[in-house]
Amino acid sequence: MNLKKLTLAFGLVMSTVAFSQETENVDTLNWLDQRLTTAEDAIVTSKKLKVSGYIQTQWQSSQIDSLGKASQDMKVGAAKTGSELTDFNRFGIRRGRIKVAYDDMGYQGVLQFDLTEKGLALKDAYLNILDPWVGYVSLKAGVFDRPFGYEIAYSSSRRESPERSRIFQTLFPDERDLGAMLVIQAPKTSSWNVLKLEAGLFGGNGIYLDTDSKKDFIGHVSYNKAVTPDIKIGLGASYYLGSVAQTTKKIYSMAGGAFAVDSAAANLNGFAKRQYIGVDGQFAMNSVAGLTTIRAEYITGVQPGRSDNASSPKSGLIPGLDTDNKTPKANDTYIRNMAGGYVHLIQDIADTQHSVVVKYDWFDPNTDIDGQQIGVAAKTGKADIAYSTLGLGYMYRMNNNVRIMAYYDIVTNETAKVKGYFADAKDNLVTVRLQYKF
């Protein structure tokens, strides 16, 4: 009896083991197949998904002008406390960028944020779709760099000066805008790839809410070619046609060296023309002395602004709107003819990782009047004063990720009959920056 029971128990155990082994083999195959599929999907996704960014931590020291203010070019730290007498300095994170891009067969989505001690801000959020037939036309929509000139789209992680030129900071204070544009450029395999056309419609209020049905047009055509293996050239032309809301009936324009007012009732809730024309050029040559790069841009046009500020719309508010972004404020519109630009020289030192930089930029917000008339002629003031800046810099590229920059801005303003500007204001600026890019 015990033998029979033992035999039966043994048979049941062996059957269970055999069944378990069979089941285990099937599950193992399925599990391995799933793991392989998951791994393959992860590899494919990793090739499509790219995460990048950079951190710029810097120290800046500014002179103090006769009004007790630091240079408007200082970008980090808090306002002057009043305890400093001749200069003051600040540490800060100028940019802390994180960018996520997903690229799949000509379809691309991009999100970029800026994280600093001041908080979190959106920088880019756009889709880019390339036509699947000939690969010549792409549509870009969302928040992205305005297609005007060369310096706007030139990445801050690569730029050889701490900031963009004053004219770009004034006309395009946020660099980016909400809109959509078409880009026409032949594939790299085509001889027509040297030409590129960008044209689009934008809200005109930076990266913030679109507040009216008016749209601004921006277009840029460029030509880039390697003339020889050691020489490259680039040329471009840009056009901007837009508008700024007129929130009062008073519109001031220059006439006979002073501002004259037009107070027609029809001006209220109308739109002032905003128009720029620009040209840009780039030249690069490699020699035994090192890589020599020269860039230049010139812009002229019509800029609507306020009595105290010639800047374009910035932040969440259209000039002339209250904090609710709806209620009009009593800010009259001032129409000014303006011009400005820059010339930028970057010289690498032979085949080392060192470079020296010289940059000259200028901006005249009102070309119809000179300095000694400002403050004397009716309604003229600090918003009409011209500036020029000579920048001298040094860069050391420690490796592909780390870069050190030391830069000195010598800022000169047009002297005028305006408090604080009777002579050149003391507002030179020193910037020392450490950048890590990943």
Side-chain angles (χ1 to χ4, degrees):
M1 187 71 178
N2 291 336
L3 182 60
K4 289 181 179 181
K5 289 182 178 179
L6 181 61
T7 303
L8 179 61
F10 181 76
L12 288 172
V13 170
M14 293 304 294
S15 300
T16 303
V17 171
F19 178 76
S20 299
Q21 287 178 340
E22 182 180 355
T23 304
E24 183 179 356
N25 287 337
V26 173
D27 287 344
T28 300
L29 290 175
N30 288 338
W31 177 75
L32 287 174
D33 184 60
Q34 291 171 359
R35 288 292 300 269
L36 287 172
T37 301
T38 302
E40 289 171 355
D41 289 344
I43 292 172
V44 172
T45 300
S46 66
K47 292 180 178 180
K48 297 177 181 179
L49 182 66
K50 182 179 181 181
V51 179
S52 60
Y54 57 95
I55 301 170
Q56 294 176 342
T57 181
Q58 67 186 37
W59 172 85
Q60 288 188 304
S61 179
S62 171
Q63 293 179 299
I64 300 298
D65 64 22
S66 61
L67 296 177
K69 297 180 180 179
S71 171
Q72 60 181 303
D73 300 314
M74 178 172 268
K75 303 297 183 181
V76 297
K80 189 178 79 70
T81 62
S83 60
E84 297 94 346
L85 297 177
T86 57
D87 59 25
F88 75 108
N89 60 80
R90 296 285 186 267
F91 280 109
I93 304 299
R94 178 63 183 98
R95 296 174 180 91
R97 300 289 172 84
I98 182 74
K99 181 179 180 180
V100 180
Y102 191 87
D103 197 334
D104 186 11
M105 301 294 290
Y107 302 93
Q108 184 185 49
V110 174
L111 285 171
Q112 182 174 200
F113 299 92
D114 191 35
L115 298 89
T116 70
E117 71 274 26
K118 298 177 182 178
L120 174 67
L122 175 69
K123 301 308 291 184
D124 288 299
Y126 64 84
L127 301 173
N128 192 65
I129 301 173
L130 179 67
D131 82 84
W133 302 283
V134 294
Y136 274 66
V137 181
S138 61
L139 172 65
K140 194 173 186 179
V143 177
F144 53 91
D145 287 327
R146 294 171 168 116
F148 190 98
Y150 182 86
E151 195 172 44
I152 284 183
Y154 192 62
S155 174
S156 301
S157 66
R158 300 174 57 197
R159 194 172 55 246
E160 298 84 2
S161 59
E163 305 298 332
R164 290 176 173 85
S165 305
R166 188 178 303 274
I167 189 168
F168 281 105
Q169 295 185 55
T170 305
L171 302 183
F172 306 104
D174 284 314
E175 297 121 34
R176 296 160 172 84
D177 206 340
L178 271 165
M181 75 171 180
L182 288 175
V183 179
I184 302 175
Q185 185 177 27
K188 293 182 179 180
T189 55
S190 170
S191 59
W192 290 98
N193 179 256
V194 296
L195 291 173
K196 184 178 182 180
L197 173 64
E198 302 163 285
L201 297 175
F202 297 83
N205 190 31
I207 65 174
Y208 300 91
L209 297 176
D210 196 356
T211 55
D212 56 56
S213 296
K214 290 281 188 177
K215 297 294 172 281
D216 295 0
F217 171 82
I218 309 177
H220 181 238
V221 60
S222 58
Y223 173 85
N224 291 279
K225 184 176 178 60
V227 180
T228 71
D230 292 321
I231 297 177
K232 295 181 180 180
I233 61 170
L235 298 171
S238 303
Y239 182 68
Y240 189 111
L241 180 61
S243 60
V244 172
Q246 298 169 174
T247 55
T248 75
K249 67 178 183 180
K250 292 185 178 180
I251 311 299
Y252 290 88
S253 302
M254 292 298 295
F259 279 109
V261 64
D262 175 1
S263 299
N267 291 335
L268 180 61
N269 297 324
F271 292 88
K273 183 171 72 172
R274 180 183 177 190
Q275 183 181 43
Y276 317 139
I277 298 173
V279 292
D280 61 87
Q282 304 82 42
F283 172 82
M285 181 178 68
N286 199 16
S287 67
V288 293
L291 180 64
T292 303
T293 305
I294 300 174
R295 307 189 191 105
E297 293 197 52
Y298 176 77
I299 304 171
T300 185
V302 178
Q303 173 74 343
R306 302 198 302 260
S307 62
D308 61 342
N309 192 341
S311 182
S312 296
K314 183 183 178 183
S315 74
L317 302 177
I318 295 288
L321 294 187
D322 212 334
T323 53
D324 61 3
N325 221 10
K326 297 178 181 179
T327 308
K329 290 175 62 178
N331 283 327
D332 302 330
T333 302
Y334 284 71
I335 309 297
R336 299 178 175 92
N337 293 316
M338 61 78 193
Y342 69 86
V343 179
H344 201 172
L345 168 66
I346 306 100
Q347 178 63 57
D348 292 351
I349 301 175
D351 59 352
T352 70
Q353 297 168 298
H354 304 270
S355 302
V356 292
V357 179
V358 179
K359 183 178 182 180
Y360 179 79
D361 76 76
W362 73 99
F363 176 55
D364 188 347
N366 191 341
T367 58
D368 294 318
I369 192 170
D370 61 39
Q372 292 307 305
Q373 294 175 288
I374 299 174
V376 177
K379 295 292 183 177
T380 58
K382 66 178 183 179
D384 303 288
I385 295 174
Y387 282 84
S388 64
T389 303
L390 176 62
L392 305 173
Y394 160 79
M395 289 191 311
Y396 172 54
R397 298 176 297 280
M398 188 174 297
N399 53 44
N400 291 334
N401 302 96
V402 181
R403 187 171 77 171
I404 299 172
M405 174 189 292
Y407 203 87
Y408 184 52
D409 282 308
I410 304 171
V411 185
T412 304
N413 61 265
E414 196 174 23
T415 57
K417 304 299 183 182
V418 178
K419 183 180 180 181
Y421 300 94
F422 298 135
D424 179 40
K426 295 183 181 298
D427 51 2
N428 294 348
L429 182 68
V430 175
T431 301
V432 179
R433 173 181 294 173
L434 174 63
Q435 172 180 294
Y436 183 83
K437 186 177 181 180
F438 57 90

